[in-house]
Amino acid sequence: LLEGKLISVEIDISRGLHAFSIVGLPDKAVEEARDRVSSALKNSGFTSPKTQNQKIVISLSPADLKKEGALFDVSIALAYLLGTEQIGFDTEKKMFLGELSLSGDVKRIKGTLPLVQEAKRLGFTEVYVPHDNSEEAALINGIAIYGIKTLTELVKHLKGIEKLEPVPETQITFEQHETSINFEDIRGQESAKRALEIAAAGGHNIALSGPPGTGKTML
């Protein structure tokens, strides 16, 4: 079972020698967000953290949950822009997901579907995901999904300069094919046939395991 967990991104900025740290059990990919975010901000026309005499602390809460992957990049970048008052917008009921390239492009991430599902369960009304993940995210109905290509595009939308349209909800359809051969023509294999019927009825995946000649391909 895949489950999404809500992670809150907080920022504290104070004067002093430049330092940029991320706390909250980050893995190596999360720690490297410091360099990705700094370059993405600079190349998107914003002030880079590396050019300022500031001590920056990013906290990923809850602190006792290990954080993995690059999907926090967009949230960290927005937190910095808000903290330095380079932009301003209402963050209430909005979730941001995405990896940033050094140029400021928003790149595809893994695990979008359970994260959007959790956002809907928690009452979020808008979720911003990489454009390449938007069709997948739109499988969750009843919540506004926005596909983002660049950090600049996202900021313009949040500032109301160039508003984006939500992604249309993705509909799943199953095609039926008639055949002259069906499970009635297969003798035995009752357990396997029942499992396949359940999988087909629910649109689930299924894996058949066994030595050659046991009927996997036939089924």
Side-chain angles (χ1 to χ4, degrees):
L1 177 63
L2 295 177
E3 290 184 301
K5 296 293 184 182
L6 177 65
I7 304 298
S8 298
V9 180
E10 301 174 315
I11 186 168
D12 180 74
I13 302 175
S14 57
R15 289 185 175 274
L17 294 176
H18 173 72
F20 192 160
S21 59
I22 300 177
V23 299
L25 290 182
D27 71 354
K28 187 65 174 177
V30 179
E31 288 184 344
E32 290 175 348
R34 296 172 297 183
D35 295 317
R36 290 193 301 272
V37 168
S38 295
S39 294
L41 288 168
K42 179 191 70 175
N43 293 320
S44 298
F46 301 103
T47 301
S48 171
K50 290 188 175 182
T51 64
Q52 307 298 307
N53 289 324
Q54 298 171 329
K55 181 180 179 180
I56 304 165
V57 179
I58 298 288
S59 175
L60 304 178
S61 176
D64 59 349
L65 181 66
K66 185 173 178 60
K67 318 303 186 304
E68 300 178 347
L71 70 163
F72 306 104
D73 288 5
V74 171
S75 294
I76 292 172
L78 291 177
Y80 178 77
L81 292 174
L82 285 168
T84 55
E85 299 182 347
Q86 295 185 62
I87 63 170
F89 67 93
D90 182 12
T91 61
E92 188 70 18
K93 300 302 180 182
K94 295 181 177 67
M95 180 179 285
F96 302 93
L97 306 169
E99 175 184 345
L100 286 173
S101 71
L102 301 184
S103 64
D105 292 337
V106 181
K107 301 172 68 175
R108 185 182 184 89
I109 60 172
K110 298 179 181 179
T112 304
L113 198 60
L115 295 174
V116 176
Q117 191 171 30
E118 179 68 2
K120 179 182 178 181
R121 188 186 71 81
L122 294 173
F124 284 79
T125 56
E126 299 177 13
V127 179
Y128 297 81
V129 302
H131 183 268
D132 290 343
N133 291 109
S134 58
E135 186 175 342
E136 175 190 356
L139 288 168
I140 305 299
N141 298 332
I143 186 170
I145 305 296
Y146 293 89
I148 307 301
K149 295 180 180 179
T150 67
L151 180 60
T152 301
E153 180 184 65
L154 173 57
V155 170
K156 287 181 177 179
H157 169 80
L158 294 172
K159 294 174 69 174
I161 298 173
E162 294 181 14
K163 299 293 286 185
L164 299 171
E165 292 296 324
V167 179
E169 294 181 351
T170 302
Q171 303 296 328
I172 302 178
T173 58
F174 296 99
E175 296 183 359
Q176 293 184 344
H177 300 278
E178 292 186 1
T179 176
S180 58
I181 302 175
N182 57 46
F183 281 162
E184 292 179 352
D185 300 306
I186 300 175
R187 296 185 180 180
Q189 301 280 13
E190 298 302 326
S191 296
K193 287 191 289 186
R194 175 166 171 75
L196 287 163
E197 288 171 351
I198 293 172
H204 308 301
N205 296 318
I206 191 167
L208 299 179
S209 177
T214 55
K216 299 187 300 298
T217 303
M218 174 188 66
L219 286 165

